[in-house]
Amino acid sequence: ALEGKAINDAKVVLADAATTMLHGAECLESIKQTASSVFNKGADGDTADLPRVQVPSSELDAGKPVVDILVELSFAKSKGEARRLIKGGGARVDGVKVEDEAMVLQTELLKGEKEIRVSSGKKKHGIVEMV
């Protein structure tokens, strides 16, 4: 049986093979760079290949429910599922756990930036981009 680093190396080989089968060899390098950036560098990594949702600044000024954003990013199939994700502690905005299922994403949370990261669990990340 594999142990330690050998297990992680085997996971990388398996992930590369699955990614190549699903997306094609031409996408493999881009996907690997995005995954490495997100999981090794955290919130400061390259986000170009992450799923995105564009939200007009007027909607963010008024406040857009995080529940809606989770559904739009396909992190939840319904608003109910998104609420359960939040209740279970699995949703984050800019690395901060969403505690309230009624939370709205507002322009102030972007801190002068044009985008903010939304996460579901440890491995699903997306970007809300203000347009």
Side-chain angles (χ1 to χ4, degrees):
L2 298 175
E3 293 184 17
K5 185 175 177 346
I7 291 174
N8 289 336
D9 291 343
K11 288 179 185 178
V12 169
V13 170
L14 180 61
D16 288 352
T19 300
T20 300
M21 285 190 291
L22 185 62
H23 298 287
E26 63 279 355
C27 295
L28 181 61
E29 196 55 41
S30 173
I31 291 170
K32 284 175 70 172
Q33 287 175 351
T34 299
S36 175
S37 177
V38 169
F39 297 117
N40 295 335
K41 297 177 187 167
D44 296 328
D46 181 19
T47 62
D49 289 333
L50 291 178
R52 291 183 172 267
V53 71
Q54 293 183 333
V55 180
S57 58
S58 58
E59 275 189 61
L60 287 177
D61 289 342
K64 183 163 179 85
V66 173
V67 167
D68 292 347
I69 291 169
L70 290 168
V71 172
E72 288 178 32
L73 284 167
S74 299
F75 292 165
K77 292 180 181 171
S78 66
K79 290 183 180 186
E81 186 178 319
R83 286 186 193 96
R84 287 189 293 278
L85 176 67
I86 292 169
K87 283 181 186 175
R92 294 183 177 275
V93 172
D94 205 24
V96 178
K97 186 188 297 184
V98 177
E99 302 283 349
D100 182 3
E101 63 188 66
M103 178 184 175
V104 293
L105 193 58
Q106 294 180 302
T107 307
E108 299 84 50
L109 288 174
L110 274 73
K111 301 173 190 164
E113 300 291 324
K114 290 288 183 195
E115 55 186 45
I116 192 167
R117 181 185 303 234
V118 176
S119 304
S120 169
K122 293 181 179 180
K123 296 188 178 184
K124 290 184 182 177
H125 307 283
I127 300 295
V128 175
E129 183 178 1
M130 182 171 62
V131 292

